[in-house]
Amino acid sequence: MASSKDAVVLDVDGREVRVSSPGRVVYDATDRTPAITKLQVCQYVAALSGPMLRALGDRPTAMERWPDGWHEGMRLATGPRDPDADGFYQKRLPKGAPEWIQTARITFPSGRTADELCPTEAGHLVWAAQMGTLTFHPWPVRRPDVDHPDELRIDLDPQPGTTFADVRRVAETTRELLAELGIRGYAKTSGNRGVHVYVRIRPEHSFEDVRHAAIGLGRELERRDDGVTTAWWKEERGERVFVDFNQNNRDRTIAGAWSLRARPGAPVSTPVTWAQLAEVEDPAELNLVTVPDRLADGDPWAEVDDVAHDLAPLLELWETLPGGELPFPPDYPKMPGEPMRVQPSRARTQE
């Protein structure tokens, strides 16, 4: 590691990556973690680049950037016209990026396209971290076929009034259901209160098919556990764990495996074995300081690419369980068979 007054140069698997303002505090100290600098964030990404690339290598990846670090009270932009926000999503590779950075061209639901970061080596990840990226948001596709997902993502989102223990319970029910269908799921914490379950699938289906598979799985979970809901409208969810099926839409992403999150204490969206998940009491304990040591026992997702599953059993649940189509996000084009995008209480007042 070479250094100067205002920058250091990291040797990342033979690639030199310049890190400016290495001493900038990115995370303030908490009762469980010390203050964390930009250099430490870049070193964390370099150290975990192997398992990170296993999870998001060759995937178009949006960067959640916090150029001044993340501190309590800071706000993530809600859209492109939000100049007062502190953090933002970078979907197009910024001008001035090194010529060795690789990209993949993706198409948004609007039909517009963008050349997005596509990590293929450790240096790409460390460069993104040097640019203020805390969370990597990979698409569920890989080059060269960016229109057919190879990943089903089951986002278990705890609603107000639920606990992490509730999410663990639903995650275990998800594992059992997938196993009954001959499917192996891989779990990770979200870096907040949720759990994500990933399934590698054959890249043969559209985003809409994968979304329907997530709805089918969610509806079967509802049948097995009354603490689960697929209700899109928040007013209908109650104190239950929401299966966010719409995270499987085109241009919808969730925090990538091993990514830091913009929350106190530098929490990490951490892959775990199912046995390890059962032992997690507080997901905030999985952070930049503690997570690297956990890899001494191996990567819990080391075998994630060994089998690509057939989506047919989950699509059968979609086709056979009652309920029909569910709403898409508000910025999405109107889709075939979709119900009105009006929350139920407002629809009743308009009748």
Side-chain angles (χ1 to χ4, degrees), residues 154-160 162 166-167 169-171 173-174 214-246 326-327:
I154 305 159
D155 183 1
L156 303 177
D157 184 8
Q159 300 303 289
T162 60
D166 294 319
V167 185
R169 184 193 72 248
V170 174
T173 303
T174 302
I215 294 174
L217 180 141
R219 285 176 170 156
E220 178 60 24
L221 290 176
E222 286 177 310
R223 293 179 64 237
R224 299 184 179 206
D225 186 329
D226 59 10
V228 178
T229 181
T230 58
W232 174 245
W233 301 106
K234 290 183 179 180
E235 64 186 35
E236 294 186 322
R237 293 177 190 170
E239 296 183 356
R240 292 179 287 184
V241 175
F242 171 50
V243 180
D244 192 352
F245 52 88
N246 271 332
L326 292 172

Side-chain angles (χ1 to χ4, degrees), residues 3 104 121 139 175 181 187 313-314 322 351:
S3 65
E121 61 171 83
W139 281 47
R175 184 199 65 77
L181 299 174
L314 294 172
E351 291 177 354

Side-chain angles (χ1 to χ4, degrees), residues 48-246:
L48 271 73
S49 60
M52 288 184 77
L53 285 171
R54 182 176 295 115
L56 54 84
D58 274 328
R59 299 187 185 279
T61 301
M63 299 180 286
E64 184 184 318
R65 292 178 58 193
W66 297 85
D68 296 321
W70 182 86
H71 307 282
E72 199 75 54
M74 282 188 165
R75 187 172 62 83
L76 183 66
T78 57
R81 296 179 179 84
D82 192 358
D84 297 326
D86 305 284
F88 57 93
Y89 292 107
Q90 181 96 51
K91 294 188 176 183
R92 291 175 170 82
L93 196 73
K95 294 180 180 179
E99 54 91 21
W100 48 269
I101 297 295
Q102 294 197 30
T103 62
R105 178 157 294 184
I106 45 86
T107 302
F108 300 118
S110 65
R112 294 180 296 111
T113 61
D115 293 320
E116 205 162 72
L117 171 69
C118 187
T120 60
E121 61 171 83
H124 296 160
L125 299 174
V126 177
W127 168 82
Q130 131 68 24
M131 294 294 289
T133 300
L134 295 182
T135 309
F136 294 87
H137 293 265
W139 281 47
V141 300
R142 284 178 166 148
R143 295 188 307 182
D145 186 356
V146 295
D147 292 315
H148 296 94
D150 72 336
E151 204 167 64
L152 167 68
R153 297 169 175 179
I154 305 159
D155 183 1
L156 303 177
D157 184 8
Q159 300 303 289
T162 60
T163 67
F164 189 70
D166 294 319
V167 185
R168 285 202 319 261
R169 184 193 72 248
V170 174
E172 175 60 20
T173 303
T174 302
R175 184 199 65 77
E176 293 170 353
L177 169 57
L178 291 172
E180 289 173 17
L181 299 174
I183 296 172
R184 182 175 180 181
Y186 290 80
K188 69 179 179 70
T189 63
S190 70
N192 191 2
R193 297 176 60 238
V195 169
H196 303 152
V197 180
Y198 281 48
V199 174
R200 286 289 193 267
I201 59 174
R202 299 172 191 166
E204 302 170 341
H205 296 273
S206 66
F207 286 91
E208 290 75 22
D209 280 345
V210 178
R211 174 182 176 274
H212 285 158
I215 294 174
L217 180 141
R219 285 176 170 156
E220 178 60 24
L221 290 176
E222 286 177 310
R223 293 179 64 237
R224 299 184 179 206
D225 186 329
D226 59 10
V228 178
T229 181
T230 58
W232 174 245
W233 301 106
K234 290 183 179 180
E235 64 186 35
E236 294 186 322
R237 293 177 190 170
E239 296 183 356
R240 292 179 287 184
V241 175
F242 171 50
V243 180
D244 192 352
F245 52 88
N246 271 332

